[in-house]
Amino acid sequence: MPVQAERSGAGSDKWVASITYRSEAVRPPSVSELQQLVAASRARNRSVGITGMLLHDGGRFLQTLEGPPEAVDQIWSSIQQDRRHGAIEVLSQHIIPARLFSEWDLRLYDRSGGQAKAAPSRPGNAIALTDHVPAMARFALAGDDSRLNALIADLVADGWVGDALVQHLLEPTARLLGDTWLADDCTELDLTIALSMLQLAGHTVHSQPSPDSIRKSRYSVLLATAPGEPHILGSTLLGDMFINAGWDVDMVSPESDEALTRQLRSQRPDAVDIALSDALPRQHALALLRETVEKARHALPNEVIVVSVGGRLFAEAAATALSVGADHARRTAAGTTIRLARLVEQRASGTRDPDA
Ligand SMILES: Cc1cc2nc3c(=O)[nH]c(=O)nc-3n(C[C@H](O)[C@H](O)[C@H](O)COP(=O)(O)O)c2cc1C
């Protein structure tokens, strides 16, 4: 159930803690048991200011909780003692720049019913970093964060920088993971867990703000997943990059176009990025995305807002900004802060970018 949670953007002095874990049900819950669990959890989460999501797939859980650190600790200690599940493994635990599930006291994605799969397509990419993509995908699928981080640490020691690691390692790994699911070699929950491992790796890659990006003017951006899109890797990779570049960042995983419109009206950002999955080609989502972009544009009738889109479809040039009515489509998260800053500046001065 969506809620209007308190805003906790980068400008806020409140810390937002986030924990992501996976676990296995002692016995796969029936639909009504799952509904009861979620209803009770929502009520409690709401009462202590927690937002988040719970993904369920055939008796396996992936949950992200975010909110005030003491409230996250409180709920987390209850969850750890809950005898309905076991094999609990924490995938990530850290302080985040803004809530991603700001509208959700607990958003449920129940995958037990299975999902239709679209045909895979594979990009060609020849640079050395991509040689490590299969190993990254293996480590991410195994939930092996120590080998994953060791590989990244080695590459950083070899001189690779954040943007290259995102563009030529993390994003291609997300696509390979998507192909693995499309080939039926892992479940969707495995895919989502592996993507959250990449998200964690992305935080390591971007943990050092670069001094020359800090001086940039304080533009603001809303990073949104497309309504209904459960994969949040793209938005979180961008979150770190925009924070490092000195922007005010808010994130949201809206339930609907209307929820996104509400968020835009309350935050009035200079730019919004709407992200589809980095792992799966969401061809069927294009028409809906076009409507989402259209509505985002009209959310603030007296203001010009730069609208950017992203996801595997755009990374592989299977869709363009024009095809969904956006100002910008990112083929990678790398460099997006610079391109959007340029577009925001041009909008402010009333000029048009010939390459946009
Ligand atoms: C997979 C799973 C996820 C859960 N998520 C939440 C949650 O987000 N919020 C919550 O209050 N309880 C959640 N619960 C239920 C708690 O474990 C616990 O039963 C409930 O909070 C009552 O806590 P108490 O027994 O300490 O009073 C979850 C349980 C399971 C099995």
Side-chain angles (χ1 to χ4, degrees):
M1 185 188 299
V3 292
Q4 285 301 316
E6 134 213 29
R7 226 186 114 190
S8 296
S12 161
D13 53 4
K14 296 206 172 114
W15 293 109
V16 181
S18 164
I19 185 163
T20 299
Y21 71 89
R22 65 176 160 191
S23 68
E24 282 170 32
V26 170
R27 178 177 56 77
S30 66
V31 173
S32 74
E33 284 170 332
L34 190 63
Q35 280 168 353
Q36 271 172 26
L37 186 152
V38 169
S41 299
R42 280 176 176 159
R44 188 170 174 204
N45 290 1
R46 177 179 295 205
S47 72
V48 293
I50 293 284
T51 51
M53 67 105 186
L54 176 67
L55 205 143
H56 171 252
D57 186 354
R60 298 168 67 213
F61 296 111
L62 174 74
Q63 186 171 31
T64 296
L65 296 169
E66 52 187 27
E70 58 291 355
V72 171
D73 283 351
Q74 182 193 339
I75 301 285
W76 175 230
S77 82
S78 289
I79 291 174
Q80 282 175 291
Q81 288 163 35
D82 196 311
R83 297 168 78 158
R84 285 170 288 186
H85 67 162
I88 299 175
E89 192 184 342
V90 174
L91 299 175
S92 80
Q93 192 165 21
H94 50 95
I95 299 295
I96 51 172
R99 290 177 193 253
L100 188 54
F101 299 97
S102 57
E103 293 225 330
W104 293 92
D105 33 31
L106 190 63
R107 181 173 196 169
L108 176 68
Y109 297 103
D110 186 10
R111 297 292 175 208
S112 298
Q115 270 211 331
K117 298 183 178 188
S121 69
R122 290 166 194 279
N125 200 334
I127 84 159
L129 266 182
T130 57
D131 293 348
H132 299 284
V133 166
M136 279 288 283
R138 258 197 331 276
F139 299 154
L141 272 175
D144 190 342
D145 60 337
S146 53
R147 291 179 76 187
L148 206 129
N149 286 333
L151 174 55
I152 290 188
D154 286 348
L155 294 168
V156 169
D158 286 348
W160 291 104
V161 293
D163 274 11
L165 289 169
V166 166
Q167 184 171 1
H168 299 298
L169 188 63
L170 297 184
E171 291 173 336
T173 302
R175 295 194 282 274
L176 178 58
L177 290 167
D179 289 346
T180 308
W181 179 72
L182 289 161
D184 266 333
D185 290 337
C186 71
T187 66
E188 188 167 6
L189 188 66
D190 291 328
L191 167 63
T192 308
I193 289 171
L195 292 176
S196 65
M197 301 305 299
L198 295 188
Q199 211 175 297
L200 188 56
H203 289 308
T204 348
V205 163
H206 287 286
S207 55
Q208 297 297 321
S210 69
D212 64 330
S213 61
I214 290 293
R215 64 175 163 68
K216 298 220 175 75
S217 54
R218 297 278 283 181
Y219 291 135
S220 58
V221 65
L222 177 65
L223 302 173
T225 51
E229 173 58 68
H231 293 165
I232 60 178
L233 176 69
S235 300
T236 56
L237 287 176
L238 284 178
D240 289 325
M241 290 173 164
F242 276 98
I243 293 276
N244 281 353
W247 289 55
D248 274 333
V249 176
D250 278 284
M251 299 204 248
V252 68
S253 182
E255 136 199 59
S256 61
D257 292 343
E258 290 64 38
L260 179 59
T261 299
R262 274 201 306 279
Q263 196 84 16
L264 285 165
R265 288 194 178 137
S266 77
Q267 292 175 211
R268 317 174 82 81
D270 297 304
V272 58
D273 181 88
I274 306 169
L276 289 172
S277 173
D278 275 330
L280 298 176
R282 304 280 201 212
Q283 196 74 46
H284 64 278
L286 265 191
L288 287 175
L289 185 61
R290 195 174 308 121
E291 283 175 29
T292 304
V293 168
E294 171 84 14
K295 288 182 183 154
R297 274 196 194 294
H298 291 108
L300 298 166
N302 301 321
E303 289 170 40
V304 267
I305 181 167
V306 170
V307 182
S308 163
V309 288
R312 179 167 176 170
L313 271 175
F314 301 99
E316 293 178 339
T320 60
L322 199 62
S323 68
V324 292
D327 302 305
H328 173 261
R330 55 186 162 80
R331 299 188 69 161
T332 164
T336 302
T337 58
I338 296 164
R339 289 191 296 275
L340 289 199
R342 232 169 95 206
L343 287 171
V344 170
E345 270 159 29
Q346 281 160 358
R347 284 295 159 96
S349 64
T351 55
R352 285 194 67 80
D353 182 359
D355 339 313

